[in-house]
Amino acid sequence: MVQLGSNGGRLVMSWRHLHWPLLLAFLPGAGVGALVASWLLIRLPTGLLELTIAAFVLYTLWGPGLPKRALGRWGTGIAGAVTTLLSSFVGASGPMVAAFIKQHGNPRQTTVATFAACMTFQHLTKAFVFGAAGFLFADWLALIVAMVAMGVVGTWLGLRLLNRLSEHRFDHGFRLVLTALSLRLVWLGLSRLLA
């Protein structure tokens, strides 16, 4: 819910830069991924999922890139389905969605706005899945509201910084942050598999 609020706030503040075709291709897949997650009873080992996400992110950041076909409408729909499904089990699909969105080569504001929109929808579907599974959001409402409010402040400050960055600096920082998150996933994945 906090991520939903944070990404929703970022979306509201940056909607003018949204890449609508990319978002509209992502949404149906995310819906399918959420439905599959709500019915899926078998869980893969969390460590394996984290290592898979880390490998995908590192490949898209530092490898030769995804083929053009993977960035088209069908590939984007599949990415929406897979990342939403994975996020229901691991909760760490943000770096994978970010790396996929970045592959489209849009300007930094468009990348951030489109990522926020994709993640907002993804977290909204997860809220429905977890709500249907019996999670009581009302018990956590005060904490959720406080954290979302702080997330909105952070988003406002972050977007001001984003407008001052060059595309080169944004790309460099984006790669460094996603690489660090991926390495953390590798560490978590290995520690869970070896535990």
Side-chain angles (χ1 to χ4, degrees):
M1 292 307 294
V2 173
Q3 288 295 324
L4 172 62
S6 260
N7 283 295
R10 189 174 309 113
L11 173 59
V12 167
M13 291 182 215
S14 62
W15 68 270
R16 292 181 307 278
H17 301 286
L18 192 58
H19 188 264
W20 284 99
L22 180 54
L23 174 64
L24 293 176
F26 185 88
L27 293 181
V32 169
L35 286 173
V36 171
S38 68
W39 290 316
L40 192 61
L41 300 175
I42 301 169
R43 284 183 58 172
L44 294 173
T46 304
L48 182 61
L49 293 172
E50 289 166 339
L51 288 172
T52 302
I53 292 171
F56 176 83
V57 172
L58 291 171
Y59 175 80
T60 56
L61 289 175
W62 302 106
L66 297 173
K68 292 290 183 199
R69 183 178 297 165
L71 299 174
R73 185 168 187 81
W74 283 101
T76 301
I78 291 168
V82 169
T83 59
T84 303
L85 176 65
L86 289 175
S87 73
S88 297
F89 299 112
V90 184
S93 69
M96 191 157 64
V97 175
F100 183 80
I101 298 290
K102 182 70 174 132
Q103 287 284 306
H104 286 80
N106 290 313
R108 64 193 184 281
Q109 289 93 348
T110 303
T111 298
V112 169
T114 306
F115 172 70
C118 290
M119 294 306 294
T120 298
F121 185 77
Q122 195 172 76
H123 290 301
L124 185 61
T125 62
K126 285 169 53 176
F128 283 115
V129 168
F130 287 111
F135 184 80
L136 301 174
F137 294 105
D139 293 352
W140 298 91
L141 190 58
L143 181 61
I144 290 170
V145 169
M147 291 178 75
V148 167
M150 290 298 101
V152 168
V153 170
T155 293
W156 182 76
L157 292 170
L159 288 174
R160 290 180 60 116
L161 174 64
L162 180 69
N163 289 329
R164 293 182 178 165
L165 289 176
S166 67
E167 289 294 333
H168 176 72
R169 283 187 180 237
F170 172 76
D171 186 58
H172 183 69
F174 191 85
R175 286 174 181 259
L176 286 176
V177 168
L178 285 182
T179 299
L181 289 172
S182 296
L183 293 176
R184 181 177 181 273
L185 284 174
V186 168
W187 178 76
L188 286 173
L190 288 175
S191 64
R192 287 183 177 153
L193 286 174
L194 299 174

mmCIF file of all heavy atoms in Angstrom, residues 79-98:
data_model
loop_
_atom_site.group_PDB
_atom_site.id
_atom_site.type_symbol
_atom_site.label_atom_id
_atom_site.label_comp_id
_atom_site.label_asym_id
_atom_site.label_seq_id
_atom_site.Cartn_x
_atom_site.Cartn_y
_atom_site.Cartn_z
ATOM 1 N N ALA A 79 5.957 -8.830 -20.098
ATOM 2 C CA ALA A 79 6.721 -8.258 -18.976
ATOM 3 C C ALA A 79 5.779 -7.835 -17.855
ATOM 4 O O ALA A 79 6.067 -8.041 -16.669
ATOM 5 C CB ALA A 79 7.552 -7.070 -19.448
ATOM 6 N N GLY A 80 4.633 -7.262 -18.212
ATOM 7 C CA GLY A 80 3.645 -6.882 -17.197
ATOM 8 C C GLY A 80 3.145 -8.088 -16.425
ATOM 9 O O GLY A 80 3.024 -8.053 -15.197
ATOM 10 N N ALA A 81 2.876 -9.178 -17.137
ATOM 11 C CA ALA A 81 2.366 -10.389 -16.483
ATOM 12 C C ALA A 81 3.427 -11.013 -15.573
ATOM 13 O O ALA A 81 3.151 -11.339 -14.410
ATOM 14 C CB ALA A 81 1.917 -11.401 -17.536
ATOM 15 N N VAL A 82 4.627 -11.173 -16.090
ATOM 16 C CA VAL A 82 5.682 -11.842 -15.328
ATOM 17 C C VAL A 82 6.077 -11.025 -14.100
ATOM 18 O O VAL A 82 6.204 -11.567 -12.991
ATOM 19 C CB VAL A 82 6.914 -12.121 -16.223
ATOM 20 C CG1 VAL A 82 8.108 -12.569 -15.404
ATOM 21 C CG2 VAL A 82 6.557 -13.150 -17.289
ATOM 22 N N THR A 83 6.255 -9.708 -14.273
ATOM 23 C CA THR A 83 6.688 -8.901 -13.132
ATOM 24 C C THR A 83 5.602 -8.809 -12.061
ATOM 25 O O THR A 83 5.909 -8.805 -10.875
ATOM 26 C CB THR A 83 7.126 -7.494 -13.569
ATOM 27 O OG1 THR A 83 6.038 -6.828 -14.228
ATOM 28 C CG2 THR A 83 8.334 -7.552 -14.487
ATOM 29 N N THR A 84 4.338 -8.757 -12.461
ATOM 30 C CA THR A 84 3.259 -8.716 -11.472
ATOM 31 C C THR A 84 3.173 -10.038 -10.731
ATOM 32 O O THR A 84 3.005 -10.071 -9.508
ATOM 33 C CB THR A 84 1.914 -8.374 -12.136
ATOM 34 O OG1 THR A 84 2.034 -7.121 -12.818
ATOM 35 C CG2 THR A 84 0.796 -8.274 -11.114
ATOM 36 N N LEU A 85 3.298 -11.131 -11.461
ATOM 37 C CA LEU A 85 3.280 -12.444 -10.824
ATOM 38 C C LEU A 85 4.433 -12.565 -9.824
ATOM 39 O O LEU A 85 4.234 -12.951 -8.666
ATOM 40 C CB LEU A 85 3.383 -13.543 -11.885
ATOM 41 C CG LEU A 85 3.467 -14.975 -11.373
ATOM 42 C CD1 LEU A 85 2.179 -15.379 -10.669
ATOM 43 C CD2 LEU A 85 3.755 -15.923 -12.516
ATOM 44 N N LEU A 86 5.645 -12.209 -10.250
ATOM 45 C CA LEU A 86 6.807 -12.300 -9.367
ATOM 46 C C LEU A 86 6.673 -11.387 -8.155
ATOM 47 O O LEU A 86 7.040 -11.756 -7.040
ATOM 48 C CB LEU A 86 8.093 -11.967 -10.126
ATOM 49 C CG LEU A 86 8.568 -12.994 -11.137
ATOM 50 C CD1 LEU A 86 9.772 -12.462 -11.897
ATOM 51 C CD2 LEU A 86 8.894 -14.312 -10.472
ATOM 52 N N SER A 87 6.118 -10.190 -8.362
ATOM 53 C CA SER A 87 6.021 -9.242 -7.249
ATOM 54 C C SER A 87 5.073 -9.730 -6.169
ATOM 55 O O SER A 87 5.192 -9.349 -5.010
ATOM 56 C CB SER A 87 5.594 -7.867 -7.747
ATOM 57 O OG SER A 87 4.229 -7.858 -8.101
ATOM 58 N N SER A 88 4.129 -10.589 -6.521
ATOM 59 C CA SER A 88 3.214 -11.125 -5.520
ATOM 60 C C SER A 88 3.917 -12.097 -4.585
ATOM 61 O O SER A 88 3.465 -12.320 -3.467
ATOM 62 C CB SER A 88 2.043 -11.833 -6.208
ATOM 63 O OG SER A 88 1.310 -10.907 -6.973
ATOM 64 N N PHE A 89 5.029 -12.673 -5.021
ATOM 65 C CA PHE A 89 5.747 -13.641 -4.207
ATOM 66 C C PHE A 89 7.007 -13.063 -3.584
ATOM 67 O O PHE A 89 7.380 -13.435 -2.487
ATOM 68 C CB PHE A 89 6.115 -14.876 -5.037
ATOM 69 C CG PHE A 89 4.904 -15.568 -5.571
ATOM 70 C CD1 PHE A 89 4.641 -15.575 -6.927
ATOM 71 C CD2 PHE A 89 4.015 -16.190 -4.721
ATOM 72 C CE1 PHE A 89 3.510 -16.207 -7.428
ATOM 73 C CE2 PHE A 89 2.882 -16.825 -5.211
ATOM 74 C CZ PHE A 89 2.632 -16.834 -6.564
ATOM 75 N N VAL A 90 7.675 -12.170 -4.292
ATOM 76 C CA VAL A 90 8.946 -11.648 -3.812
ATOM 77 C C VAL A 90 8.824 -10.205 -3.361
ATOM 78 O O VAL A 90 9.474 -9.783 -2.429
ATOM 79 C CB VAL A 90 10.029 -11.754 -4.909
ATOM 80 C CG1 VAL A 90 11.366 -11.301 -4.384
ATOM 81 C CG2 VAL A 90 10.115 -13.153 -5.435
ATOM 82 N N GLY A 91 7.988 -9.419 -4.026
ATOM 83 C CA GLY A 91 7.853 -8.017 -3.678
ATOM 84 C C GLY A 91 9.019 -7.174 -4.163
ATOM 85 O O GLY A 91 9.183 -6.045 -3.747
ATOM 86 N N ALA A 92 9.835 -7.699 -5.057
ATOM 87 C CA ALA A 92 11.034 -6.987 -5.496
ATOM 88 C C ALA A 92 11.067 -6.829 -7.009
ATOM 89 O O ALA A 92 12.124 -6.876 -7.615
ATOM 90 C CB ALA A 92 12.273 -7.726 -5.017
ATOM 91 N N SER A 93 9.911 -6.664 -7.625
ATOM 92 C CA SER A 93 9.894 -6.578 -9.086
ATOM 93 C C SER A 93 10.178 -5.171 -9.597
ATOM 94 O O SER A 93 10.399 -4.983 -10.789
ATOM 95 C CB SER A 93 8.549 -7.050 -9.630
ATOM 96 O OG SER A 93 7.535 -6.127 -9.280
ATOM 97 N N GLY A 94 10.184 -4.173 -8.722
ATOM 98 C CA GLY A 94 10.431 -2.796 -9.147
ATOM 99 C C GLY A 94 11.683 -2.628 -9.984
ATOM 100 O O GLY A 94 11.639 -2.005 -11.049
ATOM 101 N N PRO A 95 12.825 -3.188 -9.549
ATOM 102 C CA PRO A 95 14.021 -3.054 -10.381
ATOM 103 C C PRO A 95 13.849 -3.691 -11.764
ATOM 104 O O PRO A 95 14.368 -3.182 -12.755
ATOM 105 C CB PRO A 95 15.100 -3.789 -9.569
ATOM 106 C CG PRO A 95 14.632 -3.697 -8.158
ATOM 107 C CD PRO A 95 13.131 -3.773 -8.233
ATOM 108 N N MET A 96 13.109 -4.806 -11.846
ATOM 109 C CA MET A 96 12.909 -5.462 -13.133
ATOM 110 C C MET A 96 12.029 -4.601 -14.037
ATOM 111 O O MET A 96 12.326 -4.426 -15.219
ATOM 112 C CB MET A 96 12.285 -6.846 -12.926
ATOM 113 C CG MET A 96 12.302 -7.676 -14.179
ATOM 114 S SD MET A 96 12.206 -9.448 -13.907
ATOM 115 C CE MET A 96 10.623 -9.664 -13.178
ATOM 116 N N VAL A 97 10.966 -4.026 -13.497
ATOM 117 C CA VAL A 97 10.095 -3.150 -14.284
ATOM 118 C C VAL A 97 10.876 -1.913 -14.715
ATOM 119 O O VAL A 97 10.795 -1.485 -15.873
ATOM 120 C CB VAL A 97 8.831 -2.759 -13.488
ATOM 121 C CG1 VAL A 97 7.991 -1.745 -14.258
ATOM 122 C CG2 VAL A 97 7.996 -3.991 -13.162
ATOM 123 N N ALA A 98 11.657 -1.351 -13.799
ATOM 124 C CA ALA A 98 12.443 -0.156 -14.129
ATOM 125 C C ALA A 98 13.439 -0.432 -15.250
ATOM 126 O O ALA A 98 13.580 0.354 -16.186
ATOM 127 C CB ALA A 98 13.165 0.350 -12.883
#
